Amino acid sequence: MMKPLILVVEDEAPLVTMLRYNLEKQGFRVEEATDGQEALTKIAEVKPDLVLLDWMLPAMSGIEVCRQIRRKPGTRDLPVIMVTARAEDADAVRGLNTGADDYITKPFPMETLLARIRALLRRSGATPAKGTLKFHDITMDLAAHRVQRQGRSVHLGPTEFRLLEFFMQHAGRVFSREELLDAVWGPDIHVEPRTVDVHIRRLRKSLNGPDELDVIRTVRAAGYALDTEPSG
C-alpha cells in the first residue's frame, strides 16, 4: 500500500525542513508548496491525502486556498489542517468555518501534529467499512463514501462524514460535545468543544435542503442527537 502523501503549504523554510524530516521519519511522503497558487497547482497534480496549510501565505492566504479547495468537486473532501500563529478563538472558528477539518496553533509539539494527522487520515474514508446506513430519508453508503437525501447527493467533508456516520449508528441518542469528541476525533486528540459546534453547523448546512426537516437535534445543556423530533 502506498504511503499517505502530505502536502505542506508553508513559506518558512526552517519549518518546512522540520516538518518534512518528521513526517518522512513517520513514514509519510511529503510534497511542498510555498504559496497559495503553487499549493492549488500541486493539489491538482499530485492529489495529496492531506494538506497541512499555513494561514499566513504570500499573495493568497491559507483561508482563500481552503475556500478554493472546498469549491471544487475533486477536492471537496480533501482533509485540511490549518496551521496558524493566531491563537484567538474567533480566528480558530473562522478557519473551521472556511472548511478546515482541524487547526493547530504555532508553536506546536510535533507529536500533537502527528496525532492529528493520523486521526484525520483515519476519518477520511481511505478504508471505509462496507455497508449502508439509513435514517429517515438519508442513505449513507460506507463503501462508496456517499450520502444521499431524497435522491440528491450530499457532499460532506471527512469530519462531517464521520460525524454523520456516528449519529446514524446511534440514531435518537443524545451525545454531549465531549462524547462526540471522543467518538469522532478520538480520546487521544485534544480538540476544543467549540470545534464540535462548528462541524455540526457545517453538517446541517450540507444535509438540510430547502423545506427538509433538520434531523440534527440540539438538546440544551446536553448536546446533539440525530432525531426527527424538534430541537429543545
Side-chain angles (χ1 to χ4, degrees):
M1 183 179 293
M2 189 170 288
K3 297 174 181 177
L5 175 62
I6 310 296
L7 176 62
V8 175
V9 187
E10 171 63 63
D11 63 332
E12 295 180 28
L15 181 54
V16 173
T17 300
M18 184 271 287
L19 288 169
R20 173 180 282 280
Y21 171 79
N22 283 279
L23 289 168
E24 290 181 343
K25 186 178 177 182
Q26 295 298 315
F28 296 107
R29 294 178 295 139
V30 177
E31 287 282 343
E32 302 170 10
T34 57
D35 61 57
Q37 192 54 58
E38 184 184 7
L40 294 171
T41 301
K42 280 281 181 76
I43 288 168
E45 289 176 350
V46 304
K47 296 179 171 56
D49 296 293
L50 182 144
V51 178
L52 197 56
L53 180 62
D54 187 33
W55 180 308
M56 301 297 289
L57 292 169
M60 182 189 299
S61 72
I63 288 286
E64 181 56 31
V65 173
C66 194
R67 283 197 187 101
Q68 295 203 29
I69 288 171
R70 293 294 176 243
R71 284 188 195 124
K72 297 176 182 177
T75 58
R76 184 181 288 131
D77 298 335
L78 178 61
V80 175
I81 297 179
M82 189 78 74
V83 181
T84 175
R86 299 169 178 260
E88 292 82 2
D89 288 355
D91 290 322
V93 170
R94 183 184 170 202
L96 292 167
N97 280 335
T98 302
D101 296 285
D102 199 356
Y103 71 93
I104 190 164
T105 304
K106 298 178 184 178
F108 49 82
M110 195 64 209
E111 281 305 313
T112 299
L113 177 62
L114 289 169
R116 293 188 179 197
I117 287 173
R118 292 189 190 104
L120 191 49
L121 287 172
R122 285 197 300 269
R123 302 201 306 268
S124 67
T127 55
K130 303 293 183 182
T132 301
L133 299 174
K134 293 185 179 181
F135 176 80
H136 189 50
D137 53 1
I138 302 165
T139 303
M140 186 173 222
D141 186 335
L142 298 175
H145 208 72
R146 289 176 181 159
V147 177
Q148 288 195 321
R149 183 166 191 183
Q150 298 191 74
R152 70 173 175 86
S153 293
V154 177
H155 300 290
L156 301 176
T159 302
E160 287 73 40
F161 187 93
R162 181 70 188 95
L163 192 57
L164 179 61
E165 179 185 355
F166 181 74
F167 275 136
M168 291 184 73
Q169 289 169 338
H170 306 88
R173 180 178 164 187
V174 178
F175 291 94
S176 68
R177 291 168 179 82
E178 289 73 19
E179 287 173 325
L180 290 171
L181 285 173
D182 282 350
V184 178
W185 280 260
D188 56 334
I189 303 300
H190 176 70
V191 181
E192 292 296 325
R194 65 171 177 274
T195 302
V196 175
D197 300 329
V198 171
H199 285 285
I200 289 287
R201 285 197 298 271
R202 283 164 56 175
L203 178 58
R204 275 186 168 131
K205 185 177 179 180
S206 298
L207 199 58
N208 299 325
D211 303 319
E212 288 179 339
L213 177 69
D214 181 4
V215 293
I216 307 295
R217 180 162 64 102
T218 300
V219 183
R220 290 191 183 91
Y224 298 101
L226 186 69
D227 207 333
T228 54
E229 296 297 319
S231 296

